[in-house]
């Protein structure tokens, strides 16, 4: 699905070239309006950093890091080292390219891999973060167990994800799977149980449903505009299934079945 996603490194660079005339002397901050593939942009990263109690020099692992937007922002704004892991080879390649272009390769490393089998050592991270991505992972308990394994004692896992507030119809679950690769969605309490089983203590859980509901409408409009932009640039506009699923998402949030939550847990 992410090979056909409306946001890509290629599309970000095309936009920046158009806006700046060239890609010379690109700074990390030039990317921040374009490379954050989650709701709430940089403010959401700052909330994650606050909950994680980030301090300069910490080692952070970003699960499902995408194009590396949050990883670069945390390295740039908080002076941490971030290892981003993503399953999609094009995402990893795009993230590396963007990171190199803004001179952050010494502090942001991207690895291609699965968050349910992370190729990093036990107790090698002070903090594990993840934003709006575990919805794609079939075995969320396994991903949380991996986060727990990577953390030092006292380290924190802070993540946001879509959650179910009520059982959704099989037809809607199918739409979300086919268009957004969303699967085995959890309730807030279901995530609480998985966090405990992973050996972590839940410190905080903030229901973000209202905030995300507002953002969702704008985001949907942006995706439609991006599809038009891609068409005009001669690229494939993306899949109808993506837009159908996004439209279902808007409806399910409006009717109270789906929402978002930020979890913070300590080892
Ligand atoms: C919505 S994007 C979020 C990107 C990033 N967290 C951000 O906020 O910009 C979700 C990412 O999860 C990745 N992903 C999905 N399943 C994964 C898995 N099992 N292991 C690692 N990455 C995965 C996808 O390739 C995609 O890049």
């Amino acid at each position: 699905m992410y090979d056909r996603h409306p946001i890509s490194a290629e599309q970000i660079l095309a936009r920046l070239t158009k806006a700046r005339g060239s890609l010379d002397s690109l700074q990390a901050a030039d990317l921040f309006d374009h490379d954050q593939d989650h709701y709430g942009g940089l403010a959401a990263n700052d909330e994650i950093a606050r909950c994680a109690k980030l301090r300069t020099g910490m080692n952070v692992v970003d699960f499902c890091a995408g194009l590396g937007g949050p990883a670069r922002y945390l390295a740039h704004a908080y002076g941490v080292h971030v290892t981003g892991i993503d399953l999609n080879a094009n995402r990893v390649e795009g993230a590396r390219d963007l990171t190199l272009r803004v001179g952050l390769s010494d502090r942001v490393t991207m690895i291609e891999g699965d968050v349910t089998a992370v190729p990093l050592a036990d107790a090698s991270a002070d903090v594990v973060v993840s934003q709006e991505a575990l919805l794609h992972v079939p075995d969320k308990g396994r991903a949380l167990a991996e986060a727990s394994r990577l953390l030092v004692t006292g380290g924190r896992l802070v993540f946001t994800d879509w959650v179910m507030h009520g059982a959704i119809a099989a037809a809607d679950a199918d739409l979300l799977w086919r268009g957004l690769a969303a699967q085995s969605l959890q309730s807030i309490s279901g995530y609480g149980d998985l966090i405990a089983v992973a050996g972590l203590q839940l410190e905080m859980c903030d229901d973000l449903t209202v905030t995300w509901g507002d953002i969702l409408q704008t985001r949907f409009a942006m995706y439609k505009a991006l599809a038009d932009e891609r068409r005009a640039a001669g690229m494939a506009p993306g899949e109808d299934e993506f837009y159908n699923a996004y439209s279902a998402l808007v409806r399910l949030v409006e009717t109270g079945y789906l929402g978002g939550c930020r979890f913070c847990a300590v080892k």
Side-chain angles (χ1 to χ4, degrees):
M1 176 199 138
Y2 281 92
D3 283 336
R4 303 182 302 268
H5 195 276
I7 298 175
S8 68
E10 186 191 16
Q11 174 259 333
I12 291 171
L13 293 173
R15 271 192 152 193
L16 285 169
T17 305
K18 198 172 163 194
R20 305 167 83 247
S22 87
L23 294 173
D24 294 346
S25 314
L26 208 58
Q27 305 292 308
D30 294 324
L31 298 178
F32 294 152
D33 281 344
H34 310 281
D35 62 356
Q36 310 291 317
D37 190 10
H38 58 258
Y39 295 154
L42 301 185
N45 296 338
D46 287 329
E47 266 309 297
I48 295 245
R50 188 184 64 78
C51 297
K53 303 189 193 301
L54 278 198
R55 290 192 312 276
T56 306
M58 277 184 160
N59 286 320
V60 178
V61 177
D62 186 358
F63 274 18
C64 309
L67 291 169
R72 280 185 296 275
Y73 177 74
L74 295 178
H76 170 81
Y78 294 90
V80 293
H81 290 85
V82 188
T83 303
I85 175 163
D86 201 280
L87 194 60
N88 181 290
N90 288 329
R91 270 356 216 183
V92 172
E93 194 187 318
R96 284 184 184 142
D97 180 28
L98 294 174
T99 302
L100 191 63
R101 285 175 187 272
V102 299
L104 277 173
S105 296
D106 57 332
R107 277 186 280 154
V108 176
T109 307
M110 282 295 301
I111 51 178
E112 186 183 335
D114 186 339
V115 296
T116 60
V118 181
L120 294 172
D122 296 1
S124 57
D126 301 297
V127 166
V128 176
V129 300
S130 183
Q131 288 186 80
E132 280 158 64
L134 295 182
L135 75 153
H136 302 308
V137 178
D139 189 347
K140 298 180 192 345
R142 186 70 229 138
L144 298 181
E146 281 295 81
S148 178
R149 179 183 68 75
L150 295 179
L151 284 172
V152 296
T153 303
R156 285 186 165 75
L157 164 68
V158 185
F159 70 96
T160 60
D161 198 15
W162 285 98
V163 288
M164 284 201 307
H165 295 310
I168 59 173
D172 283 331
D174 189 51
L175 270 178
L176 295 177
W177 162 244
R178 284 191 288 120
L180 290 170
Q183 56 186 323
S184 61
L185 294 176
Q186 296 294 310
S187 62
I188 290 180
S189 68
Y191 253 135
D193 293 344
L194 292 178
I195 285 167
V197 169
L200 302 168
Q201 273 187 313
L202 186 63
E203 266 195 339
M204 216 184 326
C205 134
D206 295 316
D207 190 333
L208 304 173
T209 303
V210 174
T211 319
W212 282 16
D214 292 343
I215 298 170
L216 197 57
Q217 306 278 357
T218 320
R219 187 87 172 198
F220 192 29
M222 180 196 81
Y223 282 140
K224 284 185 186 154
L226 282 176
D228 292 343
E229 217 175 90
R230 289 174 70 91
R231 258 186 223 104
M235 298 184 229
E239 298 281 298
D240 281 349
E241 282 183 334
F242 175 82
Y243 298 100
N244 292 342
Y246 221 86
S247 159
L249 195 59
V250 172
R251 171 172 48 79
L252 289 166
V253 172
E254 271 172 4
T255 49
Y257 284 93
L258 283 184
C261 195
R262 180 175 47 245
F263 299 89
C264 177
V266 65
K267 180 156 176 191

